Amino acid sequence: MELDEKRIQQIVERVVSRLNVRPADAGETRAPAVIREPAAGPSVKGFPRGSLGIFPTVDDAVRAAQSAFEEYRKCSLELRYKIVAAMREVTLRHVQMLSEYAVVETKLGRVEDKVRKNTLAARKTPGPEMLVPRAWTGDHGMTLVEWAPYGVIGAITPCTNPTETILGNGIGFVSGGNTAVFNVHPTAKAVSAFHVHLLNEAAIGAGAPHNLLTCVAEPTIPSAQQLMKHPGTRILVVTGGPAVVQVAMNSGKKVVAAGPGNPPVVVDETADIHRAATGIIAGASLDNNLICCDEKEVFAAAAIFDDLRRELKAGGAYELSESQMSRLTKHLIDPDGIHPNKDYVGKNVSVILDSIGVKVGDDVRLAFSVVEESHPLVRVEQLLPVIPLVKAKDGVDAIAMAYRAEQHLGHTSSIYSRNIDNMHNMARLMDTCIFVKNGPHYVGLGGEGESYNSFTIAHPTGEGLTCVIHFVRSRRCALQDSFRIV
Ligand code: NAD
């Protein structure tokens, strides 16, 4: 007898009713006959708004994503490749507009840098090709392991890389056969919703079901928490600061969590100082230091300290005097001493220095100041383009300072050196998800470096740079005594 879809469904229902359990991919709530979709999502004046995949409530978005998943699981692998190609293409086609939109809405970062980040995500986020099945054969037959989707993924995204994260997560999720609900950062809700709309439009054009990627039109912290607890989401992928990571870890679900960092840079006495200064300026200034892995503080050996200062200034960085830095620090750090002042996060150097009456042009991308190791900016994840520079006795002393500054977050660190022992020892000591030698930290994201890209670096849960292989489940199929064909 031919096993068509209807017959399979009847068998599944009969088995499920006998066992009195739900099918593995069914949540508490099943897709209703009618799924509400708002006519248009939020928008910022002067920018377009979309409607595809945007829902008024978490429940609506989850139901739509569940319904999409039921359709998507019937689709071919070939279609996944087409969908991912379309998602890349539509983002690249709109990259300038998405980048401008993000800067206007969030008031964070630089348009030209967001173009670079979005382009990187579009070009280097891995697709379904990463999912390689495994087979074992021997005297007792063959065992095959393949990769199955979870179903509906609940994703929380930040304001610092809003569209980059939606694209990177989105490609990873659908490459693994999943669908998703995004609860984006409220201050990036319009650009995020529009990107979700564009990605759905492109996916549908490639032959996908509607609502592979959904989002909540008016995201809030309560709606994020509702999504995390929702019985319809199988796994959470969370990108943000310590609070959201903590809440997700307490959800009782599988979590892929990408949290905060405080990445230090060491420049030892053997380093190529021009290369170090160029790399530090390029890395620490990228998108006004918004990326979690951007360089946040520098420790340099005494022997090359003055050379590095000179090279940083020659490279266009603005050096703040001790008294300027002392006045500026009061503006940059909240009275609690642990958080940066949100008014200055992600702002241009010109805006930040204006607060103490220093005028520079927008072409100045980075400011730095010589401080002691105890300076608050050494420990605070500032997310703005002013970095502390600390003098160490030598490379080994600088590595010890870097270790203390990173505070065991395990995120990102780097060294400029030609000393193999220093490079080796620092890599082992820091034990960070990303360790870069002789280059800016974005090299570790695949930018002007090798390997793939992700803007969700899951150090608390250990995945590192996330991709499709972290969004699938292992399924093993064993056949006894046959199919060893040699
Ligand atoms: P954020 O923590 O303010 O917000 C991130 C997301 O979490 C938002 O969608 C927000 O609405 C949600 N959220 C915040 N608190 C929550 C709570 N208590 N319950 C439920 N949801 C909550 O972070 P941000 O300002 O958007 O981004 C900057 C922070 O994120 C930095 O600390 C940065 O290091 C980190 N980050 C890490 C990575 C990484 O890959 N490791 C990537 C980007 C950002």
Side-chain angles (χ1 to χ4, degrees):
M1 183 177 47
E2 202 178 321
L3 272 180
D4 60 15
E5 280 293 328
K6 198 166 156 214
R7 178 85 184 121
I8 292 170
Q9 191 58 33
Q10 284 167 351
I11 295 169
V12 170
E13 277 165 15
R14 215 168 54 231
V15 173
V16 167
S17 72
R18 268 193 214 142
L19 293 173
N20 199 22
V21 295
R22 291 168 190 285
D25 292 297
E28 294 280 313
T29 45
R30 304 292 297 164
V34 179
I35 294 168
R36 293 184 294 159
E37 197 161 355
S43 95
V44 166
K45 199 163 177 279
F47 288 97
R49 62 174 66 182
S51 60
L52 297 173
I54 305 160
F55 291 90
T57 67
V58 170
D59 277 335
D60 287 312
V62 172
R63 285 191 197 112
Q66 282 179 326
S67 182
F69 178 64
E70 293 306 329
E71 289 301 309
Y72 192 38
R73 67 194 309 186
K74 296 176 203 154
C75 296
S76 65
L77 277 175
E78 187 189 357
L79 182 64
R80 289 192 203 175
Y81 282 93
K82 286 187 183 155
I83 293 169
V84 167
M87 290 166 71
R88 296 186 202 282
E89 190 277 329
V90 77
T91 302
L92 290 172
R93 194 151 35 87
H94 292 83
V95 72
Q96 183 69 28
M97 191 259 273
L98 287 168
S99 303
E100 284 171 18
Y101 203 156
V103 171
V104 169
E105 186 183 18
T106 63
K107 304 182 180 58
L108 303 173
R110 286 176 175 261
V111 172
E112 65 275 22
D113 293 9
K114 289 205 187 288
V115 168
R116 281 175 65 196
K117 288 164 62 185
N118 280 301
T119 303
L120 177 64
R123 295 218 169 110
K124 292 188 87 172
T125 302
E129 71 284 349
M130 281 284 254
L131 292 184
V132 182
R134 290 198 67 187
W136 288 258
T137 63
D139 296 337
H140 286 301
M142 186 186 77
T143 293
L144 172 70
V145 167
E146 289 186 319
W147 305 107
Y150 279 95
V152 179
I153 297 180
I156 314 285
T157 56
C159 57
T160 47
N161 322 310
T163 52
E164 301 86 336
T165 310
I166 286 172
L167 181 66
N169 284 183
I171 288 178
F173 298 163
V174 303
S175 293
N178 305 283
T179 62
V181 179
F182 286 98
N183 197 95
V184 305
H185 198 290
T187 64
K189 66 184 178 190
V191 66
S192 302
F194 184 63
H195 200 189
V196 166
H197 166 88
L198 283 180
L199 294 173
N200 275 301
E201 193 176 53
I204 293 163
H210 282 244
N211 299 320
L212 284 190
L213 302 176
T214 65
C215 68
V216 185
E218 295 295 336
T220 58
I221 301 253
S223 68
Q225 295 179 351
Q226 191 193 348
L227 179 64
M228 290 194 240
K229 287 194 214 109
H230 201 290
T233 53
R234 295 288 310 267
I235 162 177
L236 304 176
V237 178
V238 171
T239 312
V244 68
V245 169
Q246 190 61 45
V247 176
M249 300 286 238
N250 291 335
S251 67
K253 295 188 183 188
K254 179 181 166 75
V255 179
V256 175
N262 190 37
V265 184
V266 164
V267 184
D268 81 4
E269 45 280 83
T270 68
D272 174 336
I273 303 304
H274 176 71
R275 186 179 182 110
T278 311
I280 290 166
I281 294 170
S285 72
L286 182 62
D287 210 14
N288 286 342
N289 205 305
L290 280 176
I291 310 178
C292 52
C293 75
D294 282 342
E295 293 79 346
K296 301 283 188 275
E297 60 276 334
V298 180
F299 303 99
I304 50 83
F305 195 79
D306 289 336
D307 293 343
L308 181 63
R309 265 171 92 174
R310 208 170 25 249
E311 285 288 340
L312 284 169
K313 283 193 279 187
Y318 183 90
E319 181 169 7
L320 292 154
S321 68
E322 197 182 329
S323 76
Q324 285 172 332
M325 187 60 164
S326 153
R327 280 188 289 136
L328 190 62
T329 305
K330 295 190 187 85
H331 293 272
L332 297 189
I333 297 183
D334 275 352
D336 66 7
I338 13 180
H339 294 105
N341 178 349
K342 284 212 160 77
D343 292 344
Y344 295 104
V345 164
K347 295 290 187 290
N348 284 5
V349 172
S350 60
V351 175
I352 294 171
L353 297 198
D354 195 43
S355 70
I356 55 163
V358 174
K359 307 284 177 207
V360 298
D362 271 340
D363 56 324
V364 176
R365 290 181 56 94
L366 185 71
F368 73 98
S369 183
V370 176
V371 298
E372 296 296 320
E373 189 190 354
S374 57
H375 192 278
L377 268 190
V378 170
R379 288 180 74 84
V380 171
E381 187 198 27
Q382 71 267 47
L383 300 164
L384 50 83
V386 178
I387 58 164
L389 171 64
V390 183
K391 188 189 281 190
K393 284 201 290 284
D394 52 25
V396 173
D397 188 33
I399 292 170
M401 287 178 173
Y403 180 70
R404 291 192 286 271
E406 213 271 335
Q407 300 159 67
H408 308 283
L409 291 166
H411 197 299
T412 299
S413 55
S414 71
I415 186 168
Y416 288 87
S417 175
R418 292 179 179 114
N419 178 326
I420 286 180
D421 288 340
N422 279 351
M423 290 193 272
H424 175 84
N425 292 337
M426 182 171 172
R428 284 184 64 87
L429 177 73
M430 299 303 297
D431 194 21
T432 44
C433 268
I434 300 176
F435 185 68
V436 180
K437 289 162 282 189
N438 296 325
H441 290 186
Y442 58 70
V443 168
L445 297 184
E448 296 169 24
E450 295 306 324
S451 190
Y452 67 89
N453 169 258
S454 171
F455 284 93
T456 294
I457 300 143
H459 55 99
T461 47
E463 292 81 2
L465 271 81
T466 53
C467 66
V468 56
I469 58 175
H470 306 115
F471 311 135
V472 287
R473 301 173 293 166
S474 155
R475 286 293 174 263
R476 174 184 277 233
C477 186
L479 174 68
Q480 193 173 30
D481 292 342
S482 293
F483 276 8
R484 175 171 163 81
I485 57 164
V486 289

